[in-house]
Amino acid sequence: MPFIPHTEDDIRAMLEAIGAESIEALFDEIPQDLRIKHLDGVPETLGEPELARLMLERAEQDGRPLNFIGAGAYEHHIPAAVWEITTRGEFYSAYTPYQAEASQGTLQVIYEYQTMMTRLMAMDASNASLYDGASALAEAVLMAVRANRKSKSRKVLMPVAVHPTYRATTRTIVDNQDIDLVEVPYDPAGGHTPVEALKQYEGEDITALVIAQPNFFGILEDVDDLTDWAHANGALVIAVANPMAAALLTPPGRWGEKGADIACGEGQPLGVPLSSGGPYYGYMCCRKEHVRQMPGRIVGRTVDRDGRTGYTLTLQAREQHIRRSKATSNICTNQGLLVTASTIFMAIVGGAGLQRIAAASHANTRALVQRFQDNPAIGPVFNRPYFHECALKVGASLDAVLPALAGDNLIAGYDLAQDYPELEDCLLVCATETKTGQDLDHYAEQMSRAISDATAGRTAKPKMA
């Protein structure tokens, strides 16, 4: 609903009721020498046309580059209706729904979101969301330690092929809580985490195993074998799954014989724009037997005494969040607006639509890689199947190649050496359904040119406006 300001009569009546002469009198406790009389740094008011032109000029300074970078945040098409509905006043300005009788709309949206996520992940329960994918993994590790009561070691196996930011965030949160994160190396040929790498931990007390699908390199893991190994060794399984990929691949709840115990990750691919890095949201699902250890809040559906459907916060009431170390989590909120967008996105696109988007993204990345099959200067680093990202070994310094491509308004990919020094001059590229065949041709042509120029020692031209 629109904001309705107070009239002058309203203001005068309120001031009379509290015995104040003016609004300025309400701030009489602030010394005069600390008050700002005017704002010298604020320019004069602009009209709407002038303001629109200024914002357009600012946006044009960034250009409109063709984006081939993923690495945890992905450019997907978002139907216009998604954010047209999400930014309606009823959703846009809604507060946390503690008062159920006044928040039925917000609660129902969250309930529908939870239902969609459990179906997408083939899990029993979902919470109302967390801050982002990285903090969701940290919360999942804490949850696994609480849930696996047979394990006393608090030891969690964390593959190096899990997103570097997720690993760093998780370590920051759990290191001071006596939880041991043990890194598991990836196979240098396949880029995956082989079951053989876990053999050395057989017979040990392992609390949980983290499995990313796909992993940070875009590689598909042997999730069934890894899941069964973990359960055979008394460990819980924490799945870190791309929700778009889960629409096409086997969902976490069906991994191996028993399925993953906890699924978490980044919800951004589901209708949330890149937005220069956020805000995004983290999702979390779990099996029924672990639901009381799940952080955050869970909305349930019930009926009132007249038999009418109603929605309410069922688990994790606010009071539990003030119990400090005894609380299941110190996160006291959820990303409700972004969850609303994802719910609307999934409702509009539907299950078949999610599968088509995932399949088109996979096909585009394969088509991009195939465009280099006759170019000996560039090719895949790993030899295993991938989803919609692929690590490419570039036969020239990326310090020269990437600026050259930026000069052609191409964001060419993610330099893996930033997090994996052994992968020097290796580029992680991503092509979602938003890319056309012409886009792929342009990328391949410009990449070949940039490699040739870098090899010959020619300098990159400046970035185009």
Side-chain angles (χ1 to χ4, degrees):
M1 64 184 68
F3 172 70
I4 302 175
H6 299 299
T7 66
E8 291 297 325
D9 290 340
D10 293 334
I11 295 172
R12 188 161 44 251
M14 286 187 286
L15 290 173
E16 289 176 356
I18 62 176
E21 295 181 359
S22 65
I23 292 178
E24 186 68 20
L26 301 177
F27 305 95
D28 59 0
E29 294 181 354
I30 302 176
Q32 287 292 333
D33 59 336
L34 296 180
R35 300 190 189 189
I36 299 176
K37 304 298 187 299
H38 47 79
L39 301 174
D40 296 330
V42 178
E44 292 296 321
T45 302
L46 295 178
E48 184 175 338
E50 293 82 8
L51 180 60
R53 178 166 183 161
L54 174 64
M55 298 307 295
L56 181 61
E57 291 173 351
R58 295 284 175 86
E60 287 176 343
Q61 291 177 8
D62 292 332
R64 297 188 63 185
L66 197 59
N67 177 33
F68 284 88
I69 193 171
Y74 303 99
E75 182 180 17
H76 290 291
H77 172 69
I78 302 174
V82 171
W83 283 92
E84 184 67 27
I85 299 171
T86 303
T87 52
R88 284 180 58 91
E90 300 95 315
F91 296 127
Y92 202 54
S93 59
Y95 187 60
T96 301
Y98 294 125
Q99 191 175 356
E101 64 273 21
S103 307
Q104 285 298 291
T106 300
L107 287 166
Q108 183 175 355
V109 167
I110 296 175
Y111 179 82
E112 300 294 349
Y113 158 79
Q114 292 171 176
T115 303
M116 292 177 181
M117 291 307 298
T118 55
R119 291 179 180 177
L120 185 60
M121 296 295 158
M123 303 293 282
D124 296 328
S126 166
N127 70 7
S129 78
L130 297 164
Y131 280 129
D132 56 24
S135 61
L137 176 56
E139 290 287 345
V141 168
L142 294 171
M143 177 181 170
V145 170
R146 295 191 302 270
N148 192 350
R149 297 182 180 180
K150 294 181 180 179
S151 173
K152 305 301 180 184
S153 70
R154 303 169 72 90
K155 181 182 292 185
V156 176
L157 301 183
M158 179 73 74
V160 175
V162 171
H163 196 301
T165 301
Y166 287 28
R167 288 187 283 120
T169 300
T170 301
R171 189 169 296 280
T172 298
I173 292 175
V174 310
D175 256 8
N176 292 326
Q177 302 190 50
D178 297 324
I179 295 175
D180 184 14
L181 295 181
V182 181
E183 292 193 339
V184 181
Y186 63 88
D187 180 80
H192 65 303
T193 305
V195 175
E196 290 71 25
L198 305 176
K199 298 294 186 181
Q200 61 180 307
Y201 303 108
E202 290 183 354
E204 293 187 23
D205 181 3
I206 303 298
T207 302
L209 168 66
V210 178
I211 307 174
Q213 183 73 330
N215 66 25
F216 185 64
F217 305 131
I219 297 295
L220 301 185
E221 298 277 7
D222 291 325
V223 293
D224 293 336
D225 291 343
L226 292 171
T227 299
D228 288 342
W229 180 93
H231 288 153
N233 286 271
L236 299 185
V237 172
I238 301 172
V240 182
N242 181 325
M244 190 64 74
L248 193 64
L249 305 174
T250 302
R254 299 196 182 102
W255 291 357
E257 292 186 6
K258 298 181 180 179
D261 299 279
I262 304 168
C264 65
E266 178 56 63
Q268 179 274 327
L270 302 176
V272 178
L274 292 174
S275 301
S276 300
Y280 300 155
Y281 75 90
Y283 76 85
M284 180 178 286
C285 302
C286 73
R287 291 163 62 178
K288 185 177 181 180
E289 56 262 40
H290 305 311
V291 71
R292 289 191 176 276
Q293 297 300 332
M294 181 179 284
R297 51 176 61 98
I298 301 173
V299 173
R301 177 180 175 179
T302 185
V303 293
D304 64 13
R305 63 184 179 184
D306 297 322
R308 296 175 299 185
T309 298
Y311 301 90
T312 183
L313 291 177
T314 303
L315 294 176
Q316 313 299 342
R318 184 175 192 174
E319 287 69 25
Q320 76 94 27
H321 294 293
I322 62 175
R323 298 175 65 226
R324 299 176 67 84
S325 61
K326 294 183 180 179
T328 57
S329 172
N330 292 126
I331 290 181
C332 300
T333 190
N334 62 285
Q335 297 283 53
L337 188 67
L338 304 172
V339 161
T340 300
S342 280
T343 306
I344 296 168
F345 175 83
M346 288 188 282
I348 290 174
V349 172
L354 290 176
Q355 291 179 340
R356 287 195 295 269
I357 294 170
S361 299
H362 171 67
N364 272 348
T365 301
R366 283 184 59 86
L368 178 62
V369 174
Q370 288 172 358
R371 278 165 168 75
F372 296 113
Q373 62 184 353
D374 297 326
N375 188 340
I378 182 172
V381 177
F382 304 115
N383 59 16
R384 282 179 57 87
Y386 50 85
F387 174 50
H388 69 355
E389 286 178 284
C390 183
L392 299 176
K393 176 66 176 178
V394 179
S397 172
L398 289 182
D399 291 337
V401 170
L402 293 181
L405 293 171
D408 288 300
N409 261 350
L410 275 174
I411 301 178
Y414 184 83
D415 184 355
L416 287 169
Q418 298 175 88
D419 302 292
Y420 303 89
E422 70 276 14
L423 297 178
E424 184 179 5
D425 295 331
C426 292
L427 194 64
L428 186 65
V429 299
C430 174
T432 64
E433 87 287 358
T434 61
K435 301 300 177 288
T436 65
Q438 185 177 1
D439 294 334
L440 304 183
D441 289 338
H442 179 65
Y443 182 97
E445 292 168 4
Q446 297 306 317
M447 173 63 79
S448 298
R449 176 195 59 78
I451 293 174
S452 177
D453 287 348
T455 303
R458 293 187 288 269
T459 58
K461 59 184 178 181
K463 181 179 178 181
M464 297 169 59

